[in-house]
Amino acid sequence: SADASRYDLGPVAAPIAGGVQAQVTATLPAPFHEYAIAETWLNAIRQAREYILIEDQYFRIPMLTDELARRMEAMPSLRVVVITKPISEWTDPGCAWTRRTHEQMLARFGSRYTLLQLQAFDTEVTWGIDETESRFQNMDVHSKLLIVDDVFLSVGSCNKNNRGVVYEAELNLAVHDRAWVTAARRRVVANMLPAGTVLAESVTGWFNQMIQAAQYNDRIRANWEAEGDDISLDGRPLPEMYRPRGFLYTLPMRSVSRCLIESIGPDMV
């Protein structure tokens, strides 16, 4: 029936004790034309004042990036941090759009925008002179998370690409509750930082903690690379200069021209 495609939020008679304000949101393409996920994301971004945190397997969504840029221009203190995963220059048709998005954001907003990735680390004892080898493993970020100002959170099946908010069938949950979202954001960020980190209360504080943690691990990764990813320990403990902390690393992006597969357009990737 026609009512089956409706996702209107009706009046609430009385709040539920101990509950939070939440709404199931959807993307349903034609003929249903339901775009509640995009609507909630755009409304939240248009009201952002302090920060926007994105964790997603993709970050190539022009219709959302345009709103991010407009809001960052309007709010000079607004910060954006994106956690995503590396893309293949050889096989990913979204390579060009991902890198174009990053280049535009970095060029316009500098240190107020940062792009990070997650990696796990271990060592393996093999044989020979340099018997201890590093094992850095990219973590397959598959979350689809958007948090704004400790007020709004959206999570579900919808990725940060145009397909997810226009053409596919997707389902998310949007939460509007300061206490609940604050607690969720604290758990998410703390899980990425080095164990035992006392999470800063201010946005500037925890934003910088994330960047500093990534920069520290970048230096550790460089130390391993300088050794050819293997060192000689002879049973000694791993020195601190070879020991990453937490899971955050900077996500390097080469230029769009390095993408070797032809882009098929922003709406298809």
Side-chain angles (χ1 to χ4, degrees), residues 153 179-193 199:
L153 181 150
W180 194 93
V181 175
T182 299
R185 187 267 305 162
R186 290 181 62 86
R187 289 196 301 273
V188 168
V189 174
N191 188 56
M192 302 175 192
L193 293 172
L199 193 64

Side-chain angles (χ1 to χ4, degrees), residues 143-210:
S143 51
K144 299 93 165 57
L145 182 66
L146 172 70
I147 307 179
V148 178
D149 284 356
D150 279 8
V151 173
F152 174 86
L153 181 150
S154 177
V155 67
S157 69
C158 187
N159 286 305
K160 304 303 182 295
N161 56 9
N162 281 6
R163 285 189 296 115
V165 293
V166 179
Y167 302 109
E168 298 176 329
E170 306 288 356
L171 206 63
N172 270 37
L173 182 69
V175 179
H176 184 271
D177 183 277
R178 179 172 291 277
W180 194 93
V181 175
T182 299
R185 187 267 305 162
R186 290 181 62 86
R187 289 196 301 273
V188 168
V189 174
N191 188 56
M192 302 175 192
L193 293 172
T197 298
V198 178
L199 193 64
E201 293 295 331
S202 69
V203 173
T204 301
W206 62 258
F207 184 87
N208 287 337
Q209 283 178 315
M210 295 181 76

Side-chain angles (χ1 to χ4, degrees), residues 77-190:
S77 62
L78 182 61
R79 293 172 171 83
V80 173
V81 56
V82 177
I83 299 102
T84 187
K85 63 182 185 179
I87 53 176
S88 172
E89 294 178 341
W90 295 84
T91 62
D92 193 334
C95 176
W97 282 102
T98 302
R99 293 187 177 180
R100 188 173 292 114
T101 299
H102 172 65
E103 288 176 357
Q104 292 172 350
M105 292 292 290
L106 185 62
R108 294 177 68 175
F109 305 111
S111 62
R112 290 201 288 136
Y113 158 79
T114 189
L115 187 69
L116 304 175
Q117 63 177 319
L118 303 178
Q119 289 188 344
F121 170 80
D122 205 344
T123 58
E124 181 178 1
V125 177
T126 56
W127 62 275
I129 297 174
D130 293 331
E131 84 291 340
T132 300
E133 298 182 0
S134 67
R135 295 291 183 264
F136 288 90
Q137 179 62 50
N138 292 328
M139 299 175 72
D140 187 14
V141 174
H142 203 261
S143 51
K144 299 93 165 57
L145 182 66
L146 172 70
I147 307 179
V148 178
D149 284 356
D150 279 8
V151 173
F152 174 86
L153 181 150
S154 177
V155 67
S157 69
C158 187
N159 286 305
K160 304 303 182 295
N161 56 9
N162 281 6
R163 285 189 296 115
V165 293
V166 179
Y167 302 109
E168 298 176 329
E170 306 288 356
L171 206 63
N172 270 37
L173 182 69
V175 179
H176 184 271
D177 183 277
R178 179 172 291 277
W180 194 93
V181 175
T182 299
R185 187 267 305 162
R186 290 181 62 86
R187 289 196 301 273
V188 168
V189 174

Side-chain angles (χ1 to χ4, degrees), residues 234-247:
D234 295 326
R236 297 187 301 273
L238 185 66
E240 286 298 311
M241 65 179 296
Y242 298 111
R243 190 186 299 274
R245 299 174 182 173
F247 304 102

